[in-house]
Amino acid sequence: MDYFDTREKKKYMSYEKILKLRKEMINNHIDGYIVPHNDNFFNESLPEANRRLEWLTSFDGSAGIALVLAEKAYIFVDGRYTIQAKQQIDSKIYEIVHLKDKNLYDILNSIENKTIIGIDSKIHSILNVEHLNLKIQNSNISIKQVKDNLIDLIWDDRPKLPYNEITIHNIEYSGEETKTKIETISKYIDSHTGDTLIITDCESISWLLNIRGSDLEFTPIPLSIVIINKYNNIQFFTNSKLNANIKKHLGNNIKIFKLNAFEEQLKSIGKRNEKVIVDNETCSYWIFKKLKEFGAKPIIKKNLCLKLKACKNKIEVNGMRKAHLRDAKSLIETLYWIKSHYPDGNLDEIEVSRKLFKSREKNKNFIGLSFPTIAGTGPNGAIVHYRPSKLNNREIKYGDLLLMDSGAQYFEGTTDVTRTIAIGEPDKEKKVKFTKVLKGHINLATVVFPYGTTGHQLDILARKFLWDDGLDYDHGTGHGVGSCLNVHEGPQSISKRSNNVILEEGMIISNEPGFYKEGEYGIRIENLILVKEKYIPNSNIKFLNFETLTLAPIDLSLIDIDLLEQKEIKWINEYHRNVYKQVSSSLSTKVAEWLKEETKEIS
């Protein structure tokens, strides 16, 4: 499989598609239709068959929502995707709206005529529908739940959903038996006076049952749903393939069903008038509605699996260290190859991406990439979630900055790393901006903070030096990372956006400040960091700090040493000593010599 043979976008087809959608809107007696980036499993990464927003608009970002009205259409994106949206979406058809300016509710509240807005409640969460009902203050607007998904009705060549082999995630990687995890969840159900809990978040299910799959391209999970009761019994719904070993692993307490049997089980739950715990962010409104319709009593509570899987155990933490050490070899070899070959010319973004993939592919316990590689040179580097394709592939030129954001899935863990490197001698402006980003990165990496602190409270540390110059970046500073699961994992984050989830020991999160000059270059420095307890003598307060897991050199040619304080220079030197110490023995002599030069002390 070639991960870099990207889909070519055909803007000219968007007009035909939206005409077909509007015809279906008329057939269903609605005046507008909302198309989110969701499917009924609420995974961030979607199988091709469920990329309805992308099929309709050509926008392939991992977050966004479209509103199609009879004569106008909008697509709403956040700061990660504003440039990308302009390139992929036909602006004659869709008005591209930055969420910091307006949102879906603002547009709906401004409509002056009676308007019925249709939704498919299977791909809208309970919380999402609650927000529609609460935030739309316009009496002209009514929300109608449409029986069939209108995109599916007009998508003639829609591919089939992939249902592949399920594999066991062995105890040597998970660090905790399935039985223990199930008992914890069952006690949680009982403690909230519930009878049953429904999980539609496939990552949580994979963590709970110690299984993995390949139904998604970059997240190793099977598409599935689980119903678990307070007596440790589970109903597992999936169309993915289960061999005898998997059935033995799951055991007698876990009954296996096809996905189409799920609604019938909801009826059974309803007949028993059970109290059912559901998470309002990851459970569809359709399930919530059906539970009530069948006689069950839904209880809204957070999915406990999210927090439990976010706090990695010792086995998982050690696995992440092994994955990062293995991954470092591939990234360093690729960085050496780029620096050695660019003077000869003829290097481009796709070639660099392929080279990195081919190196990772040879690594022990490699499963696949954790997301599509971002290799953006020059102006493409300013597109936060850029993905090179035949349409936009750019040759790497002297004077460029090359931003490489990439990661991999291993049995032991998941990696995500960004390095920005100079092609040739960088100018003063780029060095200053890079150093400001680096100072923010170091500021966050070295913070010591009391237990009870949230990522939201730490976000300013990474932005401070850019803010001093009136600059900023329009994305979060850090996201959680799974263990052989989603590279973007909650509930923790480091962001301007308020998040009351405190940082706890064992959580792994990214540290990735950046700066982007549209049309010219992008800068980002990303390491993964582990939350650990920090012992402070004579303190009665529990404190935490971060351990940096990522091992890759930071381009010294981009650092303006005059802007650094002594403690920052010390951090860079100590970090680079550790990179060389840990990785050099696995490299060829030539690459190890290059790494030694790239990690030399600065003063």
Side-chain angles (χ1 to χ4, degrees):
M1 178 180 184
D2 188 345
Y3 287 93
F4 307 103
D5 185 16
T6 53
R7 298 174 298 280
E8 301 302 330
K9 304 301 170 190
K10 298 179 181 178
K11 288 185 180 181
Y12 67 88
M13 292 184 67
S14 295
Y15 185 68
E16 296 174 19
K17 291 173 182 177
I18 206 167
L19 282 180
K20 288 182 180 180
L21 177 56
R22 284 175 170 146
K23 285 181 182 177
E24 283 299 332
M25 286 161 51
I26 293 168
N27 293 340
N28 284 270
H29 309 291
I30 57 175
D31 308 297
Y33 193 63
I34 297 173
V35 184
H37 173 86
N38 282 335
D39 65 5
N40 51 315
F41 300 102
F42 293 88
N43 301 311
E44 179 191 45
S45 178
L46 306 179
E48 189 175 357
N50 289 348
R51 294 174 191 157
R52 298 177 177 95
L53 181 65
E54 178 183 341
W55 179 85
L56 180 67
T57 67
S58 295
F59 171 67
D60 66 3
S62 62
I65 189 165
L67 170 64
V68 178
L69 301 171
E71 295 182 356
K72 282 205 76 172
Y74 304 86
I75 185 160
F76 304 87
V77 295
D78 62 39
R80 294 171 295 171
Y81 295 114
T82 48
I83 302 173
Q84 181 178 332
K86 290 175 191 174
Q87 293 183 350
Q88 293 182 335
I89 297 167
D90 190 338
S91 60
K92 293 177 183 177
I93 300 173
Y94 294 92
E95 181 180 334
I96 301 165
V97 184
H98 192 314
L99 282 167
K100 74 177 182 182
D101 300 324
K102 285 182 183 178
N103 59 36
L104 173 68
Y105 313 112
D106 295 326
I107 299 298
L108 291 174
N109 282 325
S110 69
I111 293 175
E112 296 179 354
N113 302 318
K114 291 289 183 184
T115 303
I116 301 171
I117 302 295
I119 64 168
D120 174 4
S121 61
K122 287 185 177 179
I123 62 172
H124 286 264
S125 69
I126 300 166
L127 186 63
N128 182 223
V129 175
E130 285 175 351
H131 281 171
L132 283 171
N133 292 328
L134 288 171
K135 294 187 178 184
I136 298 173
Q137 304 295 317
N138 187 346
S139 60
N140 289 320
I141 302 297
S142 57
I143 302 298
K144 179 181 177 180
Q145 294 167 44
V146 181
K147 183 182 176 182
D148 297 310
N149 188 290
L150 301 194
I151 301 299
D152 295 353
L153 294 179
I154 62 173
W155 190 348
D156 295 330
D157 56 348
R158 185 181 174 217
K160 291 182 179 180
L161 282 166
Y163 294 111
N164 300 315
E165 196 82 29
I166 295 178
T167 59
I168 300 169
H169 194 58
N170 290 321
I171 189 70
E172 65 181 293
Y173 306 122
S174 69
E176 187 178 1
E177 296 284 0
T178 304
K179 181 174 179 289
T180 309
K181 294 179 180 180
I182 291 171
E183 287 172 354
T184 300
I185 300 301
S186 294
K187 287 176 184 175
Y188 174 76
I189 296 167
D190 196 36
S191 70
H192 288 90
T193 65
D195 299 303
T196 306
L197 180 146
I198 294 175
I199 306 173
T200 55
D201 169 41
C202 304
E203 296 159 37
S204 293
I205 294 167
S206 294
W207 173 85
L208 178 67
L209 303 183
N210 284 336
I211 57 174
R212 296 297 185 267
S214 58
D215 292 351
L216 297 182
E217 192 173 2
F218 301 105
T219 307
I221 55 176
L223 299 175
S224 54
I225 300 171
V226 151
I227 300 175
I228 177 171
N229 68 20
K230 61 185 177 182
Y231 304 111
N232 301 339
N233 297 311
I234 285 183
Q235 294 172 316
F236 178 49
F237 302 84
T238 186
N239 292 350
S240 300
K241 298 166 188 172
L242 299 103
N243 59 34
N245 287 336
I246 286 291
K247 291 178 180 178
K248 183 180 177 182
H249 165 77
L250 293 175
N252 295 328
N253 282 358
I254 301 176
K255 304 300 180 187
I256 302 164
F257 300 86
K258 293 293 185 182
L259 284 165
N260 61 11
F262 178 65
E263 185 173 356
E264 197 61 37
Q265 293 304 316
L266 293 183
K267 286 182 183 177
S268 299
I269 289 170
K271 285 178 182 177
R272 296 190 294 269
N273 301 120
E274 291 187 13
K275 290 177 280 187
V276 185
I277 296 174
V278 291
D279 183 307
N280 64 353
E281 292 186 53
T282 58
C283 181
S284 74
Y285 190 78
W286 179 86
I287 292 174
F288 180 74
K289 183 181 65 172
K290 286 292 179 183
L291 285 170
K292 293 204 292 186
E293 179 186 316
F294 295 147
K297 298 172 184 176
I299 302 171
I300 303 296
K301 294 288 177 186
K302 291 298 177 189
N303 175 6
L304 181 62
C305 293
L306 296 177
K307 182 179 177 183
L308 294 176
K309 71 181 173 68
C311 297
K312 312 296 184 283
N313 59 47
K314 289 181 180 179
I315 298 293
E316 289 173 315
V317 167
N318 286 332
M320 289 292 273
R321 292 191 182 108
K322 289 176 184 177
H324 278 80
L325 182 58
R326 209 169 290 152
D327 206 58
K329 178 178 184 291
S330 293
L331 180 55
I332 289 167
E333 287 174 344
T334 304
L335 291 172
Y336 165 77
W337 177 82
I338 294 166
K339 289 278 191 175
S340 303
H341 282 74
Y342 83 80
D344 302 331
N346 300 321
L347 273 187
D348 61 39
E349 295 163 339
I350 289 180
E351 192 175 0
V352 165
S353 300
R354 288 186 194 277
K355 179 71 175 179
L356 181 53
F357 173 71
K358 291 296 182 185
S359 181
R360 280 186 167 128
E361 196 176 28
K362 298 172 187 174
N363 290 336
K364 180 183 176 183
N365 291 341
F366 173 80
I367 298 170
L369 299 183
S370 54
F371 58 97
T373 296
I374 298 166
T377 186
N380 289 342
I383 304 169
V384 177
H385 279 193
Y386 172 75
R387 181 178 179 179
S389 73
K390 292 175 184 176
L391 285 177
N392 56 22
N393 185 34
R394 187 175 185 275
E395 187 177 311
I396 298 168
K397 300 175 182 178
Y398 185 89
D400 278 355
L401 294 185
L402 172 62
L403 188 155
M404 293 175 60
D405 187 347
S406 67
Q409 299 282 7
Y410 300 92
F411 294 153
E412 294 90 343
T414 303
T415 67
D416 182 4
V417 51
T418 307
R419 286 296 180 266
T420 305
I421 62 172
I423 305 300
E425 184 61 33
D427 61 33
K428 179 70 173 176
E429 177 190 318
K430 290 170 183 168
K431 291 179 72 169
V432 169
K433 298 298 188 295
F434 182 91
T435 307
K436 294 282 182 164
V437 171
L438 177 58
K439 285 167 73 70
H441 180 96
I442 295 169
N443 208 26
L444 180 58
T446 55
V447 67
V448 176
F449 54 95
Y451 180 80
T453 301
T454 68
H456 174 62
Q457 292 171 303
L458 299 182
D459 182 71
I460 189 174
L461 297 173
R463 299 180 192 269
K464 179 198 177 326
F465 303 100
L466 289 168
W467 284 5
D468 287 346
D469 289 350
L471 305 171
D472 201 0
Y473 49 94
D474 203 0
H475 59 74
T477 297
H479 57 82
V481 177
S483 177
C484 191
L485 283 170
N486 195 348
V487 73
H488 293 149
E489 178 179 85
Q492 76 276 23
S493 66
I494 300 175
S495 172
K496 287 180 185 177
R497 185 181 299 174
S498 182
N499 182 347
N500 61 6
V501 176
I502 65 172
L503 298 177
E504 307 222 30
E505 289 174 76
M507 285 183 171
I508 292 171
I509 198 161
S510 66
N511 173 6
E512 51 179 312
F515 174 75
Y516 310 91
K517 189 172 183 180
E518 186 173 351
E520 295 194 32
Y521 61 86
I523 295 166
R524 187 160 65 250
I525 304 166
E526 177 186 17
N527 288 340
L528 298 192
I529 50 181
L530 166 70
V531 182
K532 297 178 67 177
E533 185 171 1
K534 170 72 172 178
Y535 172 69
I536 298 179
N538 304 317
S539 174
N540 295 321
I541 302 171
K542 181 179 179 179
F543 275 83
L544 303 169
N545 68 346
F546 295 121
E547 173 193 332
T548 295
L549 299 175
T550 305
L551 299 164
I554 296 164
D555 194 336
L556 296 178
S557 73
L558 276 165
I559 297 175
D560 187 336
I561 295 176
D562 293 338
L563 296 177
L564 296 177
E565 296 181 30
Q566 197 56 44
K567 64 181 181 180
E568 294 164 336
I569 292 173
K570 181 184 177 186
W571 183 90
I572 293 166
N573 287 335
E574 287 179 352
Y575 176 71
H576 274 160
R577 271 197 297 273
N578 187 47
V579 170
Y580 184 79
K581 179 182 176 182
Q582 297 247 27
V583 188
S584 59
S585 61
S586 67
L587 303 171
S588 69
T589 303
K590 277 187 177 181
V591 179
E593 287 174 355
W594 175 84
L595 180 62
K596 189 171 186 178
E597 179 64 20
E598 291 294 304
T599 57
K600 67 184 178 184
E601 284 208 358
I602 59 173
S603 58

